[in-house]
Amino acid sequence: MHRTVNVLVVNATGALLLQERDELAPRCPDQWGPPGGHVEEGETHEAAAYRELAEETGVVLPPGSLRRWREEVFHYTEEDRVAHYELWAGRAELTDADVACHEGRQMTFVDPAAIGGLDLWESARHFVPAFLASDAYAGLAARR
């Protein structure tokens, strides 16, 4: 089964770090979702979360900054594919100026009120609203 990790980074304003893929993306072009990607052979989901975040954004968080929020087998409806997801969440005192965009069109912190107006890729449509409604998000966003 395909193993995937997403990283849900909340900043001091309660905004969530999201990536907009560009038109050249092999999957979900021009859509939005959290940074993340494939878990490599022999790699843990946790290690992949830190690695993917660093590769895609240049942000290197200290060990222990992220906590596993959710683990789920996700069945895509738009293609015949199943993936084992782990979603890791944490708070970072960052702004857009601290984040590079090494993949896609842009990587930016998005106010939760604006996320509903974005075209999220399928798994992000499933996970992001659930995260924003969770106690985990409330706890990360409340530490102002």
Side-chain angles (χ1 to χ4, degrees):
M1 181 178 300
H2 184 76
R3 297 184 319 141
T4 301
V5 65
N6 282 156
V7 186
L8 303 161
V9 178
V10 178
N11 74 5
T13 69
L16 182 63
L17 184 63
L18 295 177
Q19 172 199 56
E20 180 186 22
R21 293 186 179 171
D22 62 26
E23 70 282 358
L24 303 176
R27 296 187 68 245
C28 309
D30 301 315
Q31 291 183 308
W32 291 81
H38 307 295
V39 179
E40 296 177 359
E41 186 68 34
E43 184 178 41
T44 66
H45 280 86
E46 181 178 17
Y50 287 95
R51 177 185 53 76
E52 286 286 345
L53 183 65
E55 287 177 4
E56 294 183 7
T57 69
V59 171
V60 178
L61 294 178
S65 300
L66 299 173
R67 299 276 185 249
R68 184 174 56 198
W69 167 66
R70 190 168 182 172
E71 179 179 0
E72 183 177 326
V73 174
F74 183 76
H75 300 263
Y76 291 88
T77 59
E78 299 170 1
E79 53 187 282
D80 186 23
R81 190 167 163 244
V82 177
H84 173 217
Y85 271 85
E86 281 193 19
L87 293 96
W88 289 75
R91 181 181 162 107
E93 301 303 315
L94 302 171
T95 67
D96 288 344
D98 301 309
V99 178
C101 181
H102 296 299
E103 280 188 25
R105 185 173 291 123
Q106 62 179 313
M107 191 79 67
T108 187
F109 283 96
V110 180
D111 184 294
I115 291 175
L118 299 177
D119 183 14
L120 300 175
W121 57 72
E122 185 179 10
S123 61
R125 284 192 306 269
H126 177 74
F127 291 116
V128 170
F131 175 67
L132 293 174
S134 75
D135 290 341
Y137 170 76
L140 293 170
R143 289 193 266 155
R144 297 181 204 216

